[in-house]
Amino acid sequence: MKYISTRGEAQAIGFVDAVLSGLAPDGGLYVPDAWPSFSREEIAGFAGRPYAEVATEVISRFAAPAIARDDLAAMCQAAYAGFTHPCVTPLKELYPGLFLLELFHGPTLAFKDVAMQLLAQLYDHVLGLQKRTMTIVCATSGDTGGAAVEAFRGRHNVRIVALFPEGRISEVQRRFMTTAQEDNVRCVAVEGTFDDCQTILKGMFQDEVFAREVDLSGVNSINWARIAAQAVYYFTAGLALGAPHRPVSFAVPTGNFGDAFAGYVASRMGLPIERIVVATNGNDILARALQGGDYAKGAVLATQSPAMDIQISSNFERLYFEATQRGSDPTAAAFQAFAAEGRVRIPDEALAAMRQLFVGASVSEDETTRAIISTFNETGELIDPHTAVAMAAARRIGPARATTPMA
Ligand SMILES: *Cc1c(COP(=O)(O)O)cnc(C)c1O
């Protein structure tokens, strides 16, 4: 499998380089040059198999031939062995036909663990083969830093530096990061906001001499291995809900559009997904884009679901590329214009293509609070504000057909 840039001006590269390099040199994002897919029988054959085995099946379609299958199987095994539930990402039915996909059984309780645990295995493995070390720097508003430090601490070929805004992350998140004893971990408390942390990070990548000297790498949500790792639980959840014999739908709390795009990937690989509800908080750029075709940046609002307080959804460029029939020229033009003007008009045909799978929904702070309260009163389940955004959107919009289960 080769990887090409959404903007069409970068050389095609292999899986390992795509994972280690982050953004393509032309400013685009890497995508597979063709979508791998499973037959209905192959998908049906995943039913009842352990999570790590399904992960090996799904991810090997992206990682072959760069990563040997046995090596990948061992990495998936190791990555998910530390999860505290035997299903890794179990489903719980909260309302008739409406399920909660529990992505919090990893070591830092953040959904980011699901991808980050595997990413750390991959980095250590490929850097070991290349006899190379790298420095990963991550800016975090809380969850990503903890998950990254936990996954990468003690790894031989990687140094990890986490930048966090002092006083603006929870105490638990701070401790996940700053109590790691291993030599390869450094945490920096920045006097400022998450955006300030990101600005520092960008500056490091732009300083090419420095970046080369420390062999800088990033693990943010545009990293292809994270997307591939997240496609796995769409399969396991889909199977548990009756796929491939019936379609399934999902409602996804969305910020950078990595998780929701992983659903698109699963769908392209053959999983029958009827609908994905893209649930945003008041930072509703994606909801507006999918409703009216206007992808336009607003001011970032602070909400009770801070992991989604984002006004640039980086992975959306990948969907735009697909929705324009892999049009690298229109994609490059659109996202250069977006960088300059903060707004892009999605062409009608591309919007129609997006809307075949995705529906956008923005959820207010009040609705989020009400979803937490009503879900607790009605089911006994105490959901966090990010889940509550998806819950409110799921109950407002629902699947396309009432009989389709939704997670
Ligand atoms: C990161 C995160 C999200 C957003 O996921 P994206 O892939 O950026 O859309 C939502 N909820 C929680 C709890 C997160 O940590």
Side-chain angles (χ1 to χ4, degrees), residues 110-112 143-144 221 226 230 252-261 286 305 307-308 310 313 315 384 386-387:
F111 121 84
K112 304 283 191 290
D143 278 353
T144 304
S221 71
R226 281 184 63 177
Q230 293 180 103
V252 185
T254 304
N256 235 335
F257 200 62
D259 195 6
F261 189 74
L286 281 172
S305 47
M308 314 197 303
I310 283 174
S313 283
N315 282 292
D384 96 293
H386 303 78
T387 305

Side-chain angles (χ1 to χ4, degrees), residues 329-354:
D329 289 345
T331 305
F335 286 88
Q336 277 151 12
F338 181 77
E341 292 146 34
R343 120 174 286 154
V344 166
R345 181 79 219 152
I346 304 169
D348 289 347
E349 273 178 30
L351 183 62
M354 292 174 186

